[in-house]
Amino acid sequence: MKLTLEFGGGLELLCDSVKIHHVNVEPQAGESKLTMKHLLSWVRTNLIKERPEMFMKGDSVRPGVLVLVNDCDWELSGQLDTNLEDKDIVVFISTLHGG
Amino acid sequence: MAWIYSFCRLMKASRGTVMTLLKLLKEMKFRPAHLCWHGMGVGAGSVSDAVRKIWYGLPLKVVSYKDLYGWTMDEIVKLIGLKNNCTFCGVFRRQALDRGATLLKVDKLVTGHNADDIAETVLLNILRGDIARLSRCTSITTGEDGPIPRCKPFKYTYEKEIVMYAYFKRLDYFSTECIYSPNAYRGFAREFIKDLERIRPRAILDIIKSGEDFRISTSTKMPEQGNCERCGYISSQKWCKACVLLEGLNRGLPKLGIGRSRGANNELSKNAKEAKGIDSIQSKQCGTLDF
C-alpha cells in the first residue's frame, strides 16, 4: 500500500536529508494488515542510511521521537499495533533538541 | 519590553521552542522588543540566516563569542579537545546573554527552557552534588533583585507539547545539530528522562516538584554572591568563571577552571609557575559591562 512518510526535528538527516518519502510497503507475509511494528523495521532497513540507533531502540522508536499517524498521536491508536491503510501519512518528529 | 533568546542545547538544536514562545507572546499581545541570536561557530552563519527569515517581524541582534571574548567555539574546541565543551559554551553564553541584554537595555530576559530541560538540570545537579545550583535551578524567575530578571515561561511545558504545537500550527521549524555535544554529560540525564517519560509521563513534572521542594540544611555552607574582580560580573569567587576560563584559553592552559578546584586563585597561582615557559598570547580581556 502507498504511504507518505515524513521525517522532522532532525531525523531527516538520517535519510539523506530527504524530509518526505512516498513509499510502497506490503504487509508481512501471512498478515492481512500492515502494522506500525512492521513499518518501523521496514523503514530501518530501507530508509535509514546512518545511525539507526537515533531512530529506533529495540522494536520501537527511540524515546523522544514522536509518531503521528494521519496527524494523530500513535499512542491513541495502539502504538506498535496501529493498523495502517492505503494513503496514510506517518510523521516522525524528533523532540530531542534544544529550543 | 521583553527580550527573547533561543537556547541551543545538546545533540540537536532547533529553534522550535523559541518560535513557539514568540508566537504565543505575540498572541497574548505582549510586545517583545528584541530577539537576540547567538552565533556559535560552525553552522552559526546558516542558523542566523534562518532565524533572520522567521523572526515574526521582531528586531534581531546577533551576538557572537568572537566579539565578546575573542574566541569562537571552533577555536576553543581546537585548544581544549572534545571534552568539557559544554562548560565553556554554557558559561560564555550565559554571560553573553546578560551582556547583550544590558546593551539592549531590556527589562526582562525570557528563555525557552521547557519541563524536560528543568528535570534534566535537577538530575544533573543531584548527580554532581551541586547544592547551590540545585536550590536555584527550579525557580521560574531568577535574579529579581538584579538588573535583569530572567524568566522561563515554559517551565512546566513538556517538550512534546511544544513540538506538537509547532507542528500543528505549521511554525517554521528547523534543526541544526550542536556538533560539540556528543560527549555531554547532560545526554545521560536526557536518555534517562526520556525512558522515564515512556513508562510514566508524569515523572518529569514530579522531578521538577521534587526539585522545588528541596530544603537545604541551614548548617550547609553556601557560596556568597559578590562581583568578579576583573570584569564586575556577578560571581561567588574572586574571578567569575568566564574570566577564569578565558585566562586559561589565553594562556594555553585548557584545564584552568575545569574540574574540582578549591577556588580560582589557587589554580591561577599554581599555573602561573607552569605558564612562565609558554609564549604569551596577547591577553584578551573578558567583555566588560561598558560594552
Side-chain angles (χ1 to χ4, degrees), chain A residues 56-70:
Chain A
M56 283 184 70
K57 190 169 166 178
D59 271 342
S60 184
V61 289
R62 186 178 176 206
V65 175
L66 274 182
V67 183
L68 301 172
V69 178
N70 298 325

Side-chain angles (χ1 to χ4, degrees), chain B residues 188-241:
Chain B
F188 297 105
R190 171 156 273 178
E191 281 283 326
F192 182 63
I193 296 260
K194 284 297 167 190
D195 285 336
L196 274 182
E197 190 188 7
R198 175 161 276 199
I199 303 171
R200 187 167 80 99
R202 227 186 79 170
I204 295 180
L205 284 180
D206 291 342
I207 292 177
I208 299 177
K209 178 88 173 83
S210 300
E212 287 168 353
D213 287 348
F214 273 121
R215 294 285 174 265
I216 315 293
S217 153
T218 44
S219 56
T220 311
K221 188 165 184 292
M222 295 286 261
E224 273 171 32
Q225 191 183 297
N227 288 90
C228 172
E229 282 180 0
R230 213 168 97 154
C231 67
Y233 192 65
I234 57 164
S235 168
S236 57
Q237 313 289 332
K238 262 188 147 188
W239 278 22
C240 69
K241 194 73 170 178

Side-chain angles (χ1 to χ4, degrees), chain A residues 9-10 13 19 51 54 57 60-64 66 68 71 73 75 91 93-99, chain B residues 6-7 9 12-18 159-160 163-164 167-168 170 173 175 177 190-191 194-195 198:
Chain A
L13 296 171
K19 281 197 164 168
R51 295 181 289 170
M54 299 294 257
K57 190 169 166 178
S60 184
V61 289
R62 186 178 176 206
L66 274 182
L68 301 172
D71 274 356
D73 193 345
E75 285 183 37
V91 184
I93 311 176
S94 173
T95 61
L96 299 169
H97 47 57
Chain B
S6 157
F7 229 94
R9 288 312 223 172
K12 295 181 198 302
S14 108
R15 310 286 86 77
T17 318
V18 79
E159 197 156 34
K160 180 172 171 171
V163 172
M164 297 281 253
Y167 175 74
F168 285 118
R170 306 275 178 251
Y173 201 96
S175 313
E177 209 168 318
R190 171 156 273 178
E191 281 283 326
K194 284 297 167 190
D195 285 336
R198 175 161 276 199

Side-chain angles (χ1 to χ4, degrees), chain A residues 8-37:
Chain A
L11 282 178
E12 63 273 18
L13 296 171
L14 305 177
C15 322
D16 290 330
S17 300
V18 177
K19 281 197 164 168
I20 305 181
H21 299 253
H22 297 285
V23 299
N24 214 330
V25 188
E26 294 307 317
Q28 231 168 354
E31 306 276 326
S32 55
K33 288 193 172 282
L34 175 65
T35 59
M36 276 303 298
K37 191 169 176 190

Side-chain angles (χ1 to χ4, degrees), chain B residues 67-133:
Chain B
D67 293 335
L68 281 179
Y69 308 113
W71 288 77
T72 63
M73 267 316 284
D74 289 340
E75 289 166 7
I76 293 173
V77 174
K78 265 203 197 114
L79 185 63
I80 66 174
L82 290 171
K83 280 191 89 176
N84 298 314
N85 299 347
C86 288
T87 305
F88 282 82
C89 186
V91 169
F92 285 165
R93 184 203 326 243
R94 205 220 141 107
Q95 278 219 13
L97 264 178
D98 282 337
R99 295 192 194 291
T102 314
L103 193 71
L104 295 171
K105 298 188 183 32
V106 298
D107 304 309
K108 221 175 185 73
L109 208 159
V110 176
T111 55
H113 290 91
N114 55 44
D116 297 44
D117 292 329
I118 309 278
E120 283 162 30
T121 308
V122 170
L123 277 185
L124 269 182
N125 287 329
I126 292 175
L127 288 172
R128 292 195 150 147
D130 195 332
I131 290 291
R133 286 200 173 85

